[in-house]
Amino acid sequence: MSTEPLYLKPNVRIEGLVNQFVAWTHVYTPVSGAMNLANLLLPIMDSYVQRPDVHLAAVANPKMRGGFFINAEASRVDEVRDLRDRIVRDESAAIAFAAAVKNAEDLLRAQATGYDLSPLYAQLPPELRGYVELVYDLNHQPTLRFLEPLLYRSAVHRREREAIELSLDDGSEPPFILSTPRLARDGHLQLPLPLDHTGIDELFALRSTPQPLEQVAKALEITGAEQEATLRALLTTESTLAPDRHIDSGGRIRYFGHACLLLQSPSTSILVDPFISSNPAAGDRFTYVDLPDRIDYCLITHAHQDHVVLETLLQLRHKIGTVVVPRNGGGQRQDPSIRHYLERVGMTVREVDDLDELPFDGGTIVSAPFFGEHCDLDIRAKSSYWVNIAGRSVFVGADTSGLESHLYTRIREAVGPTDVAFIGMECDGAPLTWLYSALFTQPVPRKMALTRKLSGSNAAQATGILKQLGAREAYVYAMGQEDWLQHVMATSYTPESYQLLQVAEFLDTCRRDGVHAEHLLVRKEMRW
């Protein structure tokens, strides 16, 4: 092999995989991962194997966008069947664990009536013994509390199932991550590496520091000529970093699309909910080449698949100082620990509670409460952030809902007024069962699911947030409209969509109130 130093091409993509499915939070974490595998992914594969034509027809129908269908040609049915059989064989502990959760909840429904729970431990399925505590809430409702750190060290969570897939972004849309396994494809390099493998960092450090092909191949444990050739196609002799990726005075906010913001001063860089396009050829967006050489803090607002995005985090891991995440409630399967998840994929993580402060050179980060957008489930791992940087205060709301406007009065009393507010207005989100159905052990009535949605603020709620914070500048973001994130979001708006009509109403209200407001899409830069 040549000793010529090589850089990474700017349009390289990576996906972290578990059993060839994208390793987002509910697939990777032990309890939700076992239940999604048993109650969602295996049934999807069974359905595809039986009727691949139904899946292909659904994928081709725009009205079925975001449905749980496998996007693979009928000719690949044998590959999906083999994957399904392999998973059933190798993941027997996880599948049995998911069944045991249902049996244990049946036990609690039948016998936990407000009296002593201790006799029920002996009746628990063996797969749960030592991994759960039986508890009541103050209304005497029983539940299982899972010991998540122990389960990461059990047979339920096998590191051998992990892999990465590398490819070039040609502008086409990848298959939907919640339903389609990553099957072998020409030009895609699938490597059986754990997600915390140091070779991943060495690969993405090539954007700024070139290395010979031989060294890169060694770092990724590649030995075969075919894989080496595929790897070489990901590399180039030219550096592509943007010369204006740093600033030397004042402050700057760059909008990278969806909920991703980069806040910069000359000494500090803070990235929020990173989900970054890897297609600089599009020419209309910021991409990885526009990021600074170091990111001091990466703030994560919550655990949904469009806010904890491994395809971005794995690319940036080598340059991130600390990932800041909200602390979960501890033990509820709908509320897995983001810290445990990201630590196991190699990140340095700090957990925060409401109103925890992280000072940095010339400013501070304050975690703030986050209401709504989780279908009224008891989920604590969610946080908005208030950031004071380069003399300006910025509220980063993500999908938090203004359903209780007094909350933002309290936030203002605690941290002070806000100059700029970023507010998500996906105000008619998917129903409860779209994201959480696999975690339930009893059917959820459709009418109930439709009343409990993954919704952020509507116009009135966003206006309330703005007024209570005292902000004079507002930006609507996190709407899922950018084309490069549809394999994660699967959103589909028209000009008549309720969400966009609510955005327009909010912007009109801001104009009448003398507040500068914009609806962000694709790219934006603010300097002061």
Side-chain angles (χ1 to χ4, degrees):
M1 282 186 284
S2 170
T3 59
E4 179 183 30
L6 299 169
Y7 293 92
L8 192 68
K9 287 184 177 177
N11 62 328
V12 169
R13 296 185 70 243
I14 183 172
E15 288 189 310
L17 307 179
V18 168
N19 292 317
Q20 291 182 230
F21 284 90
V22 173
W24 77 282
T25 318
H26 284 191
V27 168
Y28 189 86
T29 54
V31 184
S32 59
M35 299 195 73
N36 266 274
L37 181 64
N39 301 332
L40 180 64
L41 301 182
L42 284 174
I44 289 173
M45 285 189 282
D46 284 339
S47 171
Y48 171 84
V49 168
Q50 293 166 13
R51 290 294 305 273
D53 57 311
V54 171
H55 285 247
L56 288 171
V59 169
N61 184 351
K63 293 182 179 180
M64 302 297 287
R65 192 175 182 85
F68 288 85
F69 301 96
I70 290 180
N71 185 358
E73 302 87 347
S75 60
R76 311 203 73 172
V77 66
D78 288 341
E79 293 175 68
V80 174
R81 181 186 292 108
D82 290 346
L83 174 61
R84 187 256 183 214
D85 293 346
R86 194 160 64 248
I87 291 172
V88 169
R89 181 193 67 223
D90 295 343
E91 298 288 357
S92 58
I95 295 166
F97 184 88
V101 171
K102 181 183 187 309
N103 292 337
E105 291 207 334
D106 289 344
L107 173 69
L108 292 183
R109 280 188 283 267
Q111 299 191 38
T113 57
Y115 295 90
D116 179 21
L117 289 171
S118 58
L120 301 187
Y121 280 93
Q123 299 181 53
L124 285 173
E127 294 86 358
L128 300 190
R129 298 292 297 273
Y131 291 123
V132 299
E133 181 182 15
L134 306 181
V135 296
Y136 288 118
D137 65 17
L138 291 179
N139 292 311
H140 314 298
Q141 297 299 312
T143 191
L144 302 169
R145 188 177 77 84
F146 295 89
L147 305 182
E148 196 175 8
L150 284 177
L151 284 162
Y152 269 110
R153 294 162 174 80
S154 74
V156 172
H157 184 79
R158 297 172 55 254
R159 299 305 301 265
E160 298 84 358
R161 62 196 182 143
E162 297 178 20
I164 62 169
E165 180 170 285
L166 301 167
S167 62
L168 292 175
D169 186 345
D170 60 3
S172 61
E173 183 180 324
F176 187 41
I177 70 164
L178 300 190
S179 61
T180 298
R182 276 28 187 170
L183 305 175
R185 295 172 60 191
D186 289 342
H188 288 233
L189 182 58
Q190 223 173 84
L191 301 173
L193 302 177
L195 298 182
D196 60 354
H197 196 280
T198 58
I200 298 170
D201 296 330
E202 293 190 45
L203 176 69
F204 289 103
L206 295 178
R207 285 221 166 93
S208 57
T209 307
Q211 298 289 351
L213 177 60
E214 182 177 11
Q215 184 165 329
V216 183
K218 182 179 179 181
L220 293 172
E221 302 183 26
I222 289 173
T223 56
E226 185 176 346
Q227 286 191 335
E228 286 173 2
T230 306
L231 174 63
R232 178 61 183 86
L234 307 179
L235 307 178
T236 177
T237 57
E238 302 294 329
S239 174
T240 55
L241 294 178
D244 63 345
R245 62 192 187 278
H246 304 108
I247 61 172
D248 54 18
S249 64
R252 179 170 74 181
I253 300 175
R254 280 181 161 179
Y255 174 65
F256 278 69
H258 193 47
C260 181
L261 301 169
L262 175 66
L263 294 78
Q264 289 178 281
S265 70
S267 60
T268 305
S269 294
I270 300 168
L271 190 64
V272 186
D273 284 347
F275 191 173
I276 296 173
S277 171
S278 49
N279 182 20
D284 61 348
R285 64 199 64 168
F286 293 120
T287 66
Y288 290 100
V289 301
D290 298 294
L291 290 168
D293 294 340
R294 177 173 171 81
I295 297 164
D296 298 285
Y297 295 98
C298 172
L299 310 183
I300 300 295
T301 59
H302 59 296
H304 288 158
Q305 75 278 8
D306 55 320
H307 295 265
V308 181
V309 183
L310 271 191
E311 70 179 75
T312 293
L313 288 172
L314 291 176
Q315 294 220 28
L316 303 181
R317 187 173 66 194
H318 70 284
K319 65 166 67 181
I320 292 176
T322 302
V323 182
V324 179
V325 304
R327 178 174 285 121
N328 71 331
Q332 301 298 318
R333 63 180 176 271
Q334 75 273 15
D335 189 23
S337 167
I338 305 176
R339 175 175 72 86
H340 288 312
Y341 170 41
L342 292 183
E343 283 180 343
R344 277 159 180 79
V345 300
M347 314 296 295
T348 299
V349 185
R350 175 166 176 175
E351 250 178 1
V352 291
D353 282 322
D354 293 339
L355 299 185
D356 280 351
E357 296 188 29
L358 284 72
F360 59 85
D361 182 19
T364 186
I365 299 166
V366 181
S367 57
F370 181 136
F371 276 12
E373 212 260 335
H374 288 70
C375 306
D376 300 322
L377 294 170
D378 182 13
I379 292 176
R380 317 290 177 83
K382 52 184 182 178
S383 179
S384 55
Y385 294 95
W386 188 88
V387 182
N388 194 313
I389 185 168
R392 298 196 81 182
S393 57
V394 181
F395 177 73
V396 182
D399 298 324
T400 187
S401 172
L403 56 91
E404 171 52 280
S405 62
H406 287 83
L407 168 65
Y408 304 95
T409 304
R410 309 302 180 209
I411 292 174
R412 180 175 180 174
E413 291 170 350
V415 301
T418 296
D419 296 313
V420 183
F422 290 88
I423 302 172
M425 289 186 64
E426 170 42 280
C427 49
D428 187 23
L432 165 69
T433 47
W434 184 72
L435 203 61
Y436 294 104
S437 65
L439 304 184
F440 289 92
T441 58
Q442 286 189 314
V444 178
R446 178 172 170 76
K447 288 184 178 179
M448 179 189 293
L450 290 175
T451 69
R452 294 166 58 183
K453 292 189 172 184
L454 293 155
S455 296
S457 294
N458 60 23
Q461 293 167 345
T463 300
I465 292 174
L466 204 62
K467 289 181 176 178
Q468 299 303 327
L469 291 176
R472 304 305 300 170
E473 197 172 329
Y475 297 93
V476 177
Y477 79 143
M479 296 291 289
Q481 293 176 273
E482 286 82 9
D483 60 8
W484 67 81
L485 47 81
Q486 293 311 311
H487 63 295
V488 172
M489 296 293 296
T491 49
S492 182
Y493 296 131
T494 69
E496 292 75 35
S497 293
Y498 173 73
Q499 298 93 325
L500 299 187
L501 295 176
Q502 287 292 293
V503 171
E505 181 179 330
F506 172 69
L507 297 179
D508 285 343
T509 301
C510 289
R511 279 190 285 270
R512 289 196 300 269
D513 293 343
V515 174
H516 175 80
E518 297 180 34
H519 175 190
L520 297 183
L521 183 65
V522 178
R523 172 182 174 135
K524 174 76 176 179
E525 178 170 307
M526 294 151 259
R527 288 296 302 263
W528 66 94

